[in-house]
Amino acid sequence: MTGQAAVLHGPKDVRIEQLAPAPLPPGHVRIALEATGLCGSDLHYYADGRNGPNVVTAPLVLGHEGSGKVIEGPDELVGRRVAIEPAVSCGGCRPCRTGRYNLCLNGTCLGSPPTHGTLRGDVVMPVRNVHPVPTLGAGAAALVEPLAVGTWAVRRAGIGLGDRVLITGAGPIGQLAAVAARLAGASWIGLIDTAQARLASADGLADEYFAEPPDAVNADVLVECSGAPEAFAELGMLRPGARIALVGTPARRALSTGFLVHAQRYELDVLGCFRYGPGAFASAAALAGSGRVDLERLITASYPLTEAATALHTALTDRTQLKTLVLSSGATV
Ligand SMILES: [Zn+2]
Ligand SMILES: [Zn+2]
């Protein structure tokens, strides 16, 4: 165990420092961190010191896609490799009490200010936030988190047997949404991205690949994972009565009146998706653990924690990277 951490002090200013160990309250575990997957939100904080409305006002450790081994806590967990569900809900607010804990009004999330994330040696989390994944390597275990985003989108959109599913955005989330949709029984999956390299990296996950929105493919569901305005412009590719799962954070100018007119006329159901709701993270851990999902195919680079700044910089500037990992305390992928 080490208190070493990669601390963001301002835009593009990451320093390796020592953090004092956190206390271990009842009902919690201490995890020696192994791997962290870098995600778009980490890169926004790194580049600009903010991610949408969330602003870094004090030094912050980034990272929310984390895995590690439990080193303190209940006997049945100590020594086990776990995927870490990074959002901690209060349990008492109305969303929590109505079973929608991902919408908690008082929640925290690793790597979102003011809560330190996983680019460090160890972390303390509630027992309910750790999911044992004994069959996975450290890298795959870290990527259970983005898989959970995909499984939640599939649940929210009610994707089931025979559905035709169109996915906009072929980054890690779009690719994992495709994997989850396939497992849920989709009969056809179309993947759209303007970057050919991204489409190529998704080879085998979809039935058809598009560099621009197709005219009419009669999709039952659109899973929007890009946030790009173009993704909201052409809804003629959906069948009347289709569902739209909004997973990517939409660009400010994304939601045109054309979108609303189309949604009204054709009774489109628009479903917001925020992180992962009840059961989705556990499902993702179970699916990954079963060996039916290849998460390691997403990993394109890995760096030790001491080189976290290089990892963040590379992930930000090299668009050929899919998923960059940071490895804590001598761990391997
Ligand atoms: Zn993420
Ligand atoms: Zn709550």
Side-chain angles (χ1 to χ4, degrees), residues 22-44:
L24 188 73
H28 285 61
V29 290
R30 189 184 308 279
I31 304 154
L33 289 160
E34 293 185 295
T36 295
L38 299 183
C39 163
S41 62
D42 298 310
L43 302 180
H44 283 300

Side-chain angles (χ1 to χ4, degrees), residues 5 10 28 55 92 120 137 139 147 152 182 195 197 209 283-284 313:
H28 285 61
V55 181
R120 54 178 154 153
L147 178 62
W152 182 238
R182 182 72 80 202
Y209 301 84
S283 304
H313 195 77

Side-chain angles (χ1 to χ4, degrees), residues 92-156:
C93 71
R94 185 166 172 82
C96 279
R97 290 171 69 94
T98 53
R100 305 190 71 179
Y101 67 75
N102 56 320
L103 306 178
C104 176
L105 300 170
N106 314 302
T108 61
C109 186
L110 295 176
S112 279
T115 306
H116 285 326
T118 57
L119 290 181
R120 54 178 154 153
D122 71 306
V123 67
V124 169
M125 291 298 280
V127 166
R128 69 175 188 272
N129 282 67
V130 300
H131 301 263
V133 282
T135 60
L136 297 184
L143 301 187
V144 167
E145 196 271 354
L147 178 62
V149 175
T151 59
W152 182 238
V154 163
R155 286 195 184 191
R156 282 282 286 161

